[in-house]
Amino acid sequence: MRRFRKINFLALIVSLFLLFFVFQACQAQENKNEKDIEAIQKSAEIVTEKVNYSGIVDFRMAAKIATPGVVNIRSTFNPQKQGSREEDRFYNIPDPFRDFFKDDPFFREFRFQFPESPRFNPDTLIGSGSGVILTPDGYIITNHHVVKNADEINITLFDGRSYTASVIGNDPQTDLSLLKIEEKGLSFIRYGESDILEVGEWVVAVGNPFNLASTVTAGIVSAKARNINILTDQGAVESFIQTDAAVNRGNSGGALVTLDGKLVGINTAIATPTGVYAGYAFAIPVDIVKKVANDLMNYGTVKRGVLGIMIRNMNSTLARELNMDRANGVYIDSVMLNSAAKNAGLKEKDVIIGIDGVETLSAASLQELIMRKRPGEKVKISLIRNGVEHIELVATLKEQERTTETAILKNVNLLKDLGVELAEINEEDRKRYDVKSGLKIIKLFEGKLKRNTSIREGFVITSINNKAVTTLQSFLQAIDIEGQKGGIMLEGKYAGDPTYYYYAFGL
């Protein structure tokens, strides 16, 4: 009897081992079937010379490697499908022209602009831009705004060959699109690492400005993790590399590479008072591109994990309120119910200073780190609570709720109905109005606010029905929620006036 039991016990162990092995094999097979662009690049990798960074800087190798991997993109549109840009400009959705640090006197005249190059005629609208070949079999990354709503997309290679491209997937939240042409053995640009890119490092921009094919310009990295508020899609992620390499109309979607020709960014925007290059260009970091391109290639959409928090940059005012000895980091305004952050124990007024050991000095850097993760992945969050207490928490990211066109249209219609253009206040406004946060009324148009109240331009809205508002998103959410309950009460101040004013109206 004992011998019989022992044999059964051993058989059970063997069976469990075999089941575990089969499960692991299935998991490995599933992961194996998922394509990865970086692995494809490495399998076709060509050994190149090492670049000497000392002495006279030589851009020839970067140009030689990168130029064949950048394509010209011509997108053909039906003019009747294109909306009114004047209307978009007022309502901020979606508009390629946004004020560049408009509250900063030095930059007051600058505007952000996507450097696409449209041409009009009575029959068609043709936009030109650039793209970067990522694989030998024809996967191409470019900016979403270059190909958005295009009826036909034509790709011209460095050597003059031309192809019709298909769209594999779009990601408006990062302004990236993945295209495909049917060809093999193409020159491509290998991925670099934008995380280790340093301010002051030389970079080279390759693109097709003004339809001038294969143009190479050079500059240095001026800054990293720039949020310039040019992307208007809800949940947009902006953490641009800023460079002074010359970028103009037609450069959108082109390559930003290191001196050894590795891709570190996709050129996307310029800051300009004239519509042409004025010294400031912005590129999407390649570490964002890697995640988006792989997801679009494998699923046709981006699988994005989210924490579920409303955030803003730390500043000296908040640091004093929290008795903190640092004025950088990411301040949590609110934590959403049933979110990854809530389940992990994050609270309002916590200040996030790191994700997985990487320092987060700004909201843009935090967004960049989180967007690289997928739903179900765990992240280690380092934070400061009550100004002094250092805490580490682990959050399991949840799936981002899909933003529908209906929701975006609802927000547009709400602003139109109110007849108002709003902007978040800056440090100067906080002093002038003596408030901690709020939204300033930049302009009033015909709408419910004008018809039903005596509110004036320049008024800073600090709360709606006694609930503080700090961002346009929180304003729209509050109006939507409170409007369903009944009336709306706006509370706020005018500059130089200590009195709080209240304006009530109904939706």
Side-chain angles (χ1 to χ4, degrees):
M1 179 66 72
R2 288 178 186 172
R3 181 173 179 79
F4 179 73
R5 285 178 179 171
K6 185 176 182 181
I7 292 172
N8 278 350
F9 180 69
L10 289 172
L12 178 62
I13 292 174
V14 171
S15 299
L16 288 172
F17 177 77
L18 288 174
L19 282 172
F20 176 75
F21 179 77
V22 170
F23 175 75
Q24 289 289 84
C26 290
Q27 289 283 86
Q29 183 64 32
E30 183 180 342
N31 292 336
K32 187 177 179 181
N33 290 336
E34 186 175 303
K35 293 188 285 185
D36 178 78
I37 287 174
E38 197 161 15
I40 294 170
Q41 290 183 350
K42 287 179 180 177
S43 68
E45 189 169 315
I46 300 171
V47 178
T48 58
E49 304 172 44
K50 294 291 182 182
V51 178
N52 183 6
Y53 288 92
S54 62
I56 298 173
V57 179
D58 191 341
F59 303 105
R60 288 177 295 177
M61 182 183 291
K64 184 179 179 180
I65 294 172
T67 302
V70 175
V71 302
N72 179 255
I73 299 177
R74 286 167 58 87
S75 302
T76 306
F77 308 88
N78 181 344
Q80 295 179 351
K81 294 181 181 179
Q82 307 306 307
S84 165
R85 292 202 173 225
E86 288 302 318
E87 184 176 287
D88 287 344
R89 183 173 293 120
F90 159 45
Y91 289 110
N92 288 338
I93 304 184
D95 180 8
F97 300 96
R98 301 287 295 275
D99 287 347
F100 178 42
F101 299 149
K102 64 183 177 184
D103 294 311
D104 185 328
F106 180 74
F107 291 116
R108 197 180 301 279
E109 294 181 357
F110 283 83
R111 299 179 73 82
F112 280 131
Q113 178 176 315
F114 291 134
E116 58 188 332
S117 182
R119 293 203 307 274
F120 296 88
N121 65 51
D123 302 316
T124 58
L125 170 62
I126 299 175
S128 68
S130 304
V132 177
I133 303 174
L134 296 180
T135 63
D137 60 345
Y139 281 99
I140 297 169
I141 197 76
T142 188
N143 285 135
H144 175 56
H145 72 260
V146 171
V147 297
K148 181 182 178 181
N149 298 326
D151 297 299
E152 184 178 339
I153 302 169
N154 186 267
I155 303 292
T156 303
L157 302 185
F158 172 71
D159 60 12
R161 286 179 290 168
S162 186
Y163 304 82
T164 298
S166 57
V167 178
I168 301 301
N170 299 308
D171 184 39
Q173 289 180 243
T174 55
D175 192 27
L176 289 170
S177 289
L178 187 67
L179 312 179
K180 181 73 166 65
I181 60 173
E182 297 306 318
E183 188 55 275
K184 295 181 179 179
L186 296 171
S187 296
F188 63 92
I189 304 181
R190 289 176 292 149
Y191 284 147
E193 294 181 68
S194 50
D195 276 355
I196 64 173
L197 195 66
E198 295 184 19
V199 174
E201 186 173 337
W202 282 104
V203 284
V204 173
V206 185
N208 303 280
F210 307 120
N211 287 311
L212 299 173
S214 305
T215 297
V216 177
T217 58
I220 62 167
V221 175
S222 306
K224 294 179 67 178
R226 284 287 199 216
N227 185 330
I228 59 177
N229 293 317
I230 195 172
L231 302 181
T232 55
D233 193 83
Q234 195 170 14
V237 177
E238 291 190 23
S239 186
F240 291 116
I241 299 167
Q242 182 181 325
T243 174
D244 63 354
V247 171
N248 276 296
R249 293 180 181 273
N251 270 113
S252 274
L256 188 72
V257 301
T258 56
L259 290 184
D260 53 358
K262 290 186 178 179
L263 186 70
V264 288
I266 297 297
N267 297 316
T268 299
I270 57 177
T272 172
T274 61
V276 295
Y277 173 74
Y280 305 94
F282 302 88
I284 300 167
V286 75
D287 287 303
I288 289 180
V289 175
K290 292 175 185 179
K291 164 73 163 62
V292 172
N294 275 350
D295 279 7
L296 293 179
M297 181 172 64
N298 287 292
Y299 312 112
T301 187
V302 177
K303 294 190 173 184
R304 201 172 257 116
V306 293
L307 275 173
I309 51 179
M310 299 289 288
I311 58 176
R312 56 177 152 146
N313 289 329
M314 274 291 293
N315 54 49
S316 55
T317 303
L318 286 171
R320 283 193 296 271
E321 290 176 8
L322 298 172
N323 293 318
M324 284 179 56
D325 57 2
R326 57 184 288 169
N328 54 26
V330 183
Y331 180 84
I332 299 179
D333 270 315
S334 61
V335 180
M336 298 177 187
L337 294 174
N338 302 317
S339 65
K342 189 76 172 178
N343 295 342
L346 273 74
K347 299 179 180 180
E348 293 180 11
K349 298 183 179 181
D350 282 347
V351 178
I352 299 175
I353 56 173
I355 297 289
D356 290 336
V358 179
E359 195 172 24
T360 53
L361 300 179
S362 66
S365 60
L366 171 65
Q367 287 178 310
E368 180 183 348
L369 291 169
I370 294 297
M371 75 81 50
R372 298 182 199 170
K373 308 288 186 180
R374 288 183 178 174
E377 288 192 51
K378 295 182 185 297
V379 293
K380 185 170 70 174
I381 303 168
S382 303
L383 58 87
I384 297 175
R385 181 170 291 168
N386 301 323
V388 291
E389 188 180 359
H390 286 255
I391 296 175
E392 286 197 348
L393 301 172
V394 176
T396 302
L397 300 178
K398 293 196 173 184
E399 189 169 0
Q400 183 183 37
E401 293 182 7
R402 302 298 259 166
T403 300
T404 63
E405 300 226 348
T406 305
I408 294 173
L409 184 60
K410 182 179 180 181
N411 289 343
V412 175
N413 289 336
L414 182 55
L415 288 173
K416 287 181 181 179
D417 195 34
L418 294 175
V420 65
E421 181 179 0
L422 299 167
E424 294 177 30
I425 63 172
N426 60 13
E427 188 64 34
E428 183 184 341
D429 287 329
R430 290 187 184 94
K431 294 176 182 177
R432 289 176 57 218
Y433 289 80
D434 192 22
V435 294
K436 296 177 182 178
S437 60
L439 292 171
K440 186 197 291 187
I441 296 178
I442 302 301
K443 196 163 186 179
L444 286 169
F445 298 82
E446 286 303 321
K448 287 188 175 177
L449 285 178
K450 249 190 176 183
R451 288 196 301 269
N452 301 322
T453 73
S454 58
I455 200 167
R456 305 191 307 273
E457 291 175 3
F459 183 74
V460 166
I461 302 168
T462 57
S463 67
I464 295 174
N465 289 8
N466 295 319
K467 293 183 179 178
V469 291
T470 58
T471 64
L472 180 59
Q473 186 177 357
S474 65
F475 173 86
L476 291 167
Q477 288 175 343
I479 289 287
D480 187 37
I481 294 170
E482 299 301 319
Q484 294 176 23
K485 298 177 182 177
I488 298 291
M489 176 75 78
L490 302 181
E491 178 184 350
K493 298 177 73 175
Y494 291 99
D497 188 341
T499 307
Y500 275 88
Y501 291 83
Y502 299 85
Y503 297 97
F505 62 97
L507 292 178

